[in-house]
C-alpha cells in the first residue's frame, strides 16, 4: 500500500514537471519569431578605416559575397551561414578581419577591418606591390592611391623591414605625408626622397633616425628655403647631425 502511494506521488511530480517544461517551450516558441519564415531584409556592411585609406568599399565586399553566392539578402535567416561568410571574406588579401552576425529582425551585419597599405613598391627588378602597416606584402591592384612610391634597388625583405617603418611614419605625419611623393633606394641601401614642392632631391643617407633628420629638414624649410626660394637648390643632404649640405642648381 505504501509503495503504491509512493509511486503515485512520484508519477504526479513527473507529470507536473513535464507539463511545466511543455508550457515553457510553448511560451518561448510563441514569443520568438519563426526563424524558418524570416528572410534577410537588410545587409549592413561597415568597413573600419584607419590613418591610411584602404582599398575596399562596401560595394566591393558585396561583390565578394555575391561571387561566392553568400550574399544573404532575400535568403531565409536560418540558411544564412555567417561563419562561411567570414571564412570567405578573410581569404581576400586586403581584408584583415571579418565579423558577421544575423539578428531575428532579418538583418545581417558585416564588419570588416582592412589591411592598410603604407607604401607602394615599384622595384628595379620589376616587382610592383604594396606593403601594409604590419610589413606584409599586398598584391598590386587597380585601385588608385596617393601612397608614397618607393623605387630603386628594393628586395622584399628590405621593403618589409625598412620601408614599412618609413611608410608608417610618413602616413602619420601631416607635413611629410603630403610633401614626400617618392622614395628612391640606392644600391648601397641609402635613401633619397623626392618632394612634391621644390625642385630638389632630399638625401637621407642610411634609413635611420628618420624623425630626427626630417625635423632638421623642417626647420631648414621654414627658415632657409622660405627665404632663399624653393628652387634654389638641387640637392639637400641631411645625412649628418648638426649640418645640412646643399648643392645649388
Amino acid at each position: 500500500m505504501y509503495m503504491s502511494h509512493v509511486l503515485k506521488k512520484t508519477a504526479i511530480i513527473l507529470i507536473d514537471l513535464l507539463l511545466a517544461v511543455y508550457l515553457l517551450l510553448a511560451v518561448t516558441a510563441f514569443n520568438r519569431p519563426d526563424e524558418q519564415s524570416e528572410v534577410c531584409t537588410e545587409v549592413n556592411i561597415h568597413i573600419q578605416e584607419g590613418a591610411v585609406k584602404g582599398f575596399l568599399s562596401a560595394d566591393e565586399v558585396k561583390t565578394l559575397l555575391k561571387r561566392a553566392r553568400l550574399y544573404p539578402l532575400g535568403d531565409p535567416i536560418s540558411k544564412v551561414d555567417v561563419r562561411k561568410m567570414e571564412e570567405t571574406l578573410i581569404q581576400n588579401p586586403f581584408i584583415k578581419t571579418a565579423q558577421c552576425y544575423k539578428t531575428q529582425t532579418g538583418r545581417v551585419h558585416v564588419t570588416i577591418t582592412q589591411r592598410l597599405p603604407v607604401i607602394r613598391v615599384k622595384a628595379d627588378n620589376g616587382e610592383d606591390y604594396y606593403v601594409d602597416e604590419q610589413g606584409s606584402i599586398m598584391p598590386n591592384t587597380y585601385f588608385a592611391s596617393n601612397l608614397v612610391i618607393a623605387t630603386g634597388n628594393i628586395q622584399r625583405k628590405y621593403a618589409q623591414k625598412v620601408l614599412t617603418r618609413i611608410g608608417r611614419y610618413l602616413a602619420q605625419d601631416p607635413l611629410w605625408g603630403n610633401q614626400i611623393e617618392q622614395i628612391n633606394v640606392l644600391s648601397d641601401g641609402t635613401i633619397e626622397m623626392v618632394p612634391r614642392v621644390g625642385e630638389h632631391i632630399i638625401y637621407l643617407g642610411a634609413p635611420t633616425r628618420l624623425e630626427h633628420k626630417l625635423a632638421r629638414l623642417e626647420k631648414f624649410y621654414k627658415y632657409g628655403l622660405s627665404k632663399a626660394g624653393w628652387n634654389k637648390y638641387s640637392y639637400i643632404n641631411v645625412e649628418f647631425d648638426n649640418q645640412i649640405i646643399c648643392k645649388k642648381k
Side-chain angles (χ1 to χ4, degrees), residues 81-231:
D81 191 339
V82 291
R83 179 63 62 85
K84 194 170 183 179
M85 289 171 62
E86 291 175 348
E87 292 173 351
T88 298
L89 290 172
I90 203 67
Q91 292 176 11
N92 186 280
F94 301 111
I95 294 178
K96 186 177 181 180
T97 63
Q99 292 183 333
C100 306
Y101 68 93
K102 55 187 176 180
T103 68
Q104 290 184 350
T105 57
R107 293 180 175 89
V108 174
H109 297 269
V110 180
T111 301
I112 298 294
T113 300
Q114 297 191 72
R115 292 175 60 190
L116 300 175
V118 293
I119 201 162
R120 181 177 181 178
V121 175
K122 299 185 73 172
D124 287 347
N125 60 13
E127 289 191 310
D128 187 351
Y129 54 88
Y130 295 89
V131 182
D132 74 5
E133 57 189 347
Q134 302 300 323
S136 298
I137 301 296
M138 301 171 67
N140 189 13
T141 174
Y142 61 85
F143 288 97
S145 174
N146 292 323
L147 289 177
V148 175
I149 296 176
T151 58
N153 183 31
I154 304 173
Q155 303 301 320
R156 291 202 170 198
K157 287 186 178 180
Y158 184 93
Q160 292 175 293
K161 292 182 179 180
V162 177
L163 295 182
T164 298
R165 173 171 49 84
I166 296 175
R168 280 201 306 261
Y169 178 82
L170 295 178
Q172 295 169 1
D173 189 283
L175 170 62
W176 300 115
N178 289 317
Q179 170 66 344
I180 303 302
E181 65 177 357
Q182 182 180 345
I183 294 172
N184 188 46
V185 181
L186 304 179
S187 58
D188 60 356
T190 58
I191 286 179
E192 295 175 334
M193 289 184 168
V194 180
R196 285 190 171 90
V197 179
E199 298 178 3
H200 55 268
I201 300 297
I202 302 163
Y203 182 70
L204 292 181
T208 57
R209 305 185 69 196
L210 181 67
E211 184 175 357
H212 177 71
K213 292 174 181 179
L214 291 181
R216 286 191 291 114
L217 180 60
E218 182 177 355
K219 290 181 180 179
F220 180 69
Y221 271 11
K222 185 175 181 180
Y223 301 108
L225 289 188
S226 61
K227 296 179 180 179
W230 286 90
N231 298 324

Side-chain angles (χ1 to χ4, degrees), residues 7-24:
L7 290 174
K8 184 182 293 185
K9 189 174 182 180
T10 302
I12 293 173
I13 292 173
L14 288 174
I15 291 171
D16 288 343
L17 286 174
L18 290 172
L19 182 61
V21 171
Y22 171 79
L23 289 174
L24 179 62

Side-chain angles (χ1 to χ4, degrees), residues 14-75:
L14 288 174
I15 291 171
D16 288 343
L17 286 174
L18 290 172
L19 182 61
V21 171
Y22 171 79
L23 289 174
L24 179 62
L25 291 174
V27 170
T28 302
F30 179 78
N31 291 328
R32 187 181 64 189
D34 185 2
E35 192 180 61
Q36 296 293 330
S37 63
E38 287 286 343
V39 297
C40 175
T41 58
E42 186 177 333
V43 180
N44 294 317
I45 299 174
H46 174 65
I47 300 177
Q48 297 179 348
E49 296 288 355
V52 180
K53 183 175 177 59
F55 292 127
L56 289 175
S57 65
D59 286 339
E60 286 291 326
V61 175
K62 180 179 177 180
T63 299
L64 289 172
L65 292 173
K66 281 189 171 183
R67 287 174 181 170
R69 297 183 179 179
L70 291 173
Y71 191 66
L73 190 64
D75 293 341

